Amino acid sequence: MTPKSGGGRPWGPIRAENPAARKLAETLRRHVDDSGKTLAVLSGEINMSKAQTGVYLAGKLPTQAFIAALIRATVRPELRERRQEEALALREQAMRPVPRTTPGAPVVAGQGAGYAVELAAAQARQIETYDRLTRALEQRAEVERAKNNSDKLVMVLLNMIHQLDRRVAGLVEERDQLLARPRSEALEDAERKLARAEEQEQRARAELRRAEEKQRQAEDLEARVTDQLRRLTDELDRLRAGDTTSPLDTLPALPDEPEAGPVSADPVGDDIDAVLARASAVNDEDNTTLNRLTTELNEPATWWVVQDNPPDNPEVPASRSVSAASPLPGVPDEGQEAVRALLRRSPAPDLFVRFLAEATRWENVQVHGIKRQNSQPGAPLDYSHYLRLRRQGSQFGGFAYVYAEHSSINLRLHHTREQLDAIGATRARTRVTGHRAYRVSIDLTDETSLTQALHLAELAYAAT
């Protein structure tokens, strides 16, 4: 593959007719790399289409006007004259190549014998870059949906808090007027409504803080994804420089998914509860989406690693691999292979293993598989779905159920959303389905989520 110049993004192969033309193309590419400009920006500055710019940078002999415009757009003023003279001299040599000494010898194209290999490598890189660009477009759509959800939530919650403030003030006035009738049914009813409205206001403010944090997180991710799209688009432009077809023309359309609104047929308090429940659900959904995208964007790229035997290698990025040499902490021998298979599909295997390593260091903690339904006495446990972390000697079945495939932790806790926020467990979420004893869950996505998961696991461990 044509090497990168000055640490820039890679280019496709050069299709030059002779060595001088090849050297000219390499020189012009180096100027583009040094400028840091994308082909899209450069083509706009030199008033030429991106496709034609790519053709000249791929080895076709450029015009003098193109050379002058490119030098002017990419080289510092004090060096322009000298660099233009050097480039024009190379163009002159390319137009009058030195004749071969052997009469009748065949003319060999300047790309040399290795051109076929270089071209195949460039095409493979185009496919890889196209796949990454497609994923980046999907990420942008997900970020936009999460950001729109947060924007709407903030507006809804601000309005709700305003309405709740008025409702609380009205209920306080109503209660005060009824104080002259102690123990009356009307007074008790007003006090119940007031307590409920005050609790709803606290929940609304907590959800507003979460939604505003999601706004900030989504804005940061949006900027990062946009930058990634710009870089990947330019990389693909460079790799296909000189081609006339562009895979960008076939990028998928990504329509937004419609959202169902909450439905309630009860009075004001029930309506507010329904909206707050929806706000909490949207916040949880956006939290999962943004944390997953943050993890993906923070992962080191592995596209430059060439696999010796691609068909035989598992489709698992190197950054997500778990060493086969070391046993998984705490997992019995009979479950090692099953859990490793789950980790190969996990979004954060290393974080999951680190969670296991820390939790199994606590006193009397053991990792168990799950007893299969209708299994015979003495039959091996099942490790292919999830694991149970149990404190030996405890009367409870376990303090956590852990899912290797999803890198998620379900904990034997009953914390409310407010209680979780109060202890700093902002990445955790409350559950309303599944086992009634395990009402808190958290996904492992980054260092913060790992720290919070271990803290919650310690609380569950201490309670058992």
Side-chain angles (χ1 to χ4, degrees):
M1 168 124 346
T2 303
K4 304 177 188 179
S5 300
R9 289 180 287 279
W11 292 89
I14 292 176
R15 306 167 179 83
E17 296 181 356
N18 55 62
R22 182 181 186 84
K23 187 173 181 180
L24 175 59
E26 291 173 346
T27 299
L28 296 178
R29 286 182 173 188
R30 186 169 61 252
H31 291 323
V32 175
D33 284 336
D34 291 343
S35 73
K37 295 179 179 179
T38 66
L39 288 188
V41 170
L42 179 64
S43 61
E45 292 184 357
I46 64 177
N47 296 317
M48 182 172 289
S49 71
K50 189 166 60 175
Q52 186 59 45
T53 301
V55 168
Y56 283 147
L57 292 174
K60 181 178 179 180
L61 200 61
T63 63
Q64 291 183 353
F66 174 82
I67 292 175
L70 185 140
I71 296 293
R72 187 166 54 251
T74 60
V75 177
R76 298 197 309 270
E78 64 271 20
L79 297 176
R80 285 175 187 166
E81 184 177 356
R82 180 179 175 184
R83 296 293 179 257
Q84 183 171 327
E85 289 176 355
E86 293 171 348
L88 291 175
L90 286 171
R91 181 179 183 276
E92 188 68 20
Q93 293 177 27
M95 293 179 63
R96 297 177 176 79
V98 178
R100 297 185 175 274
T101 55
T102 305
V107 177
V108 181
Q111 54 259 30
Y115 176 72
V117 175
E118 189 178 0
L119 180 60
Q123 291 173 345
R125 287 288 285 278
Q126 285 189 45
I127 294 172
E128 173 63 31
T129 303
Y130 173 77
D131 289 342
R132 288 189 291 134
L133 183 57
T134 302
R135 177 58 189 141
L137 285 169
E138 294 170 349
Q139 289 174 332
R140 182 176 66 178
E142 291 181 273
V143 169
E144 288 176 350
R145 281 196 291 270
K147 185 175 181 297
N148 289 337
N149 286 342
S150 296
D151 291 343
K152 293 174 185 176
L153 270 181
V154 167
M155 297 303 297
V156 168
L157 290 168
L158 285 171
N159 182 63
M160 179 184 294
I161 290 170
H162 175 68
Q163 297 297 327
L164 282 168
D165 284 339
R166 295 176 58 186
R167 179 171 169 80
V168 167
L171 289 170
V172 167
E173 182 178 354
E174 180 182 345
R175 180 203 60 187
D176 291 345
Q177 291 174 353
L178 294 169
L179 287 176
R181 298 158 53 189
R183 298 184 181 179
S184 68
E185 184 176 336
L187 176 60
E188 291 177 358
D189 182 61
E191 288 178 337
R192 279 196 301 270
K193 289 181 179 178
L194 176 59
R196 184 182 187 187
E198 289 175 336
E199 187 270 339
Q200 288 173 334
E201 184 178 6
Q202 291 177 355
R203 288 170 57 197
R205 292 188 184 279
E207 293 300 336
L208 176 61
R209 289 193 296 272
R210 293 181 66 205
E212 289 174 336
E213 175 59 30
K214 297 300 165 290
Q215 269 186 320
R216 291 188 289 270
Q217 189 177 0
E219 287 169 359
D220 176 65
L221 285 175
E222 187 175 43
R224 293 175 61 185
V225 171
T226 299
D227 181 65
Q228 187 178 60
L229 280 171
R230 180 189 61 79
R231 289 185 292 104
L232 288 173
T233 301
D234 184 55
E235 182 175 324
L236 193 57
D237 286 340
R238 289 163 175 253
L239 288 171
R240 54 177 290 279
D243 288 347
T244 56
T245 59
S246 171
L248 289 174
D249 295 336
T250 59
L251 284 177
L254 301 169
D256 289 334
E257 298 176 3
E259 295 182 7
V263 177
S264 177
D266 284 336
V268 177
D270 292 336
D271 286 340
I272 293 172
D273 275 339
V275 175
L276 285 172
R278 176 59 182 162
S280 180
V282 172
N283 265 331
D284 286 342
E285 178 184 350
D286 291 346
N287 186 63
T288 300
T289 297
L290 295 174
N291 287 339
R292 173 173 55 77
L293 292 175
T294 298
T295 301
E296 291 178 4
L297 290 172
N298 285 337
E299 287 174 354
T302 57
W303 48 265
W304 60 83
V305 178
V306 179
Q307 299 184 359
D308 294 331
N309 189 7
D312 297 332
N313 287 330
E315 296 180 1
V316 181
S319 61
R320 295 186 176 183
S321 63
V322 177
S323 171
S326 357
L328 298 173
V331 179
D333 292 343
E334 64 180 3
Q336 288 280 330
E337 286 307 313
V339 178
R340 284 186 186 281
L342 295 174
L343 286 174
R344 282 194 286 272
R345 302 191 292 271
S346 170
D350 293 334
L351 293 174
F352 184 85
V353 172
R354 287 169 59 191
F355 176 89
L356 277 185
E358 178 63 27
T360 53
R361 280 200 289 265
W362 302 339
E363 185 177 3
N364 294 330
V365 171
Q366 291 188 2
V367 179
H368 301 273
I370 307 303
K371 186 176 180 179
R372 294 183 179 90
Q373 189 175 10
N374 301 324
S375 62
Q376 298 298 319
L381 297 176
D382 182 12
Y383 295 86
S384 63
H385 184 39
Y386 55 88
L387 305 174
R388 178 165 55 98
L389 271 60
R390 183 172 183 268
R391 185 178 188 175
Q392 296 306 108
S394 168
Q395 60 177 326
F396 301 103
F399 64 89
Y401 284 87
V402 297
Y403 296 76
E405 182 174 5
H406 308 293
S407 291
S408 62
I409 315 295
N410 288 354
L411 299 142
R412 191 183 185 92
L413 295 171
H414 296 81
H415 287 54
T416 63
R417 178 73 261 165
E418 291 76 16
Q419 291 171 325
L420 291 172
D421 289 339
I423 63 174
T426 56
R427 299 292 181 84
R429 59 184 179 275
T430 57
R431 305 177 70 243
V432 295
T433 59
H435 196 291
R436 62 181 179 274
Y438 296 82
R439 289 309 192 198
V440 173
S441 181
I442 185 169
D443 296 326
L444 299 177
T445 58
D446 54 17
E447 293 295 331
T448 300
S449 63
L450 176 61
T451 300
Q452 293 183 14
L454 287 169
H455 176 55
L456 292 170
E458 283 189 278
L459 295 178
Y461 167 80
T464 57

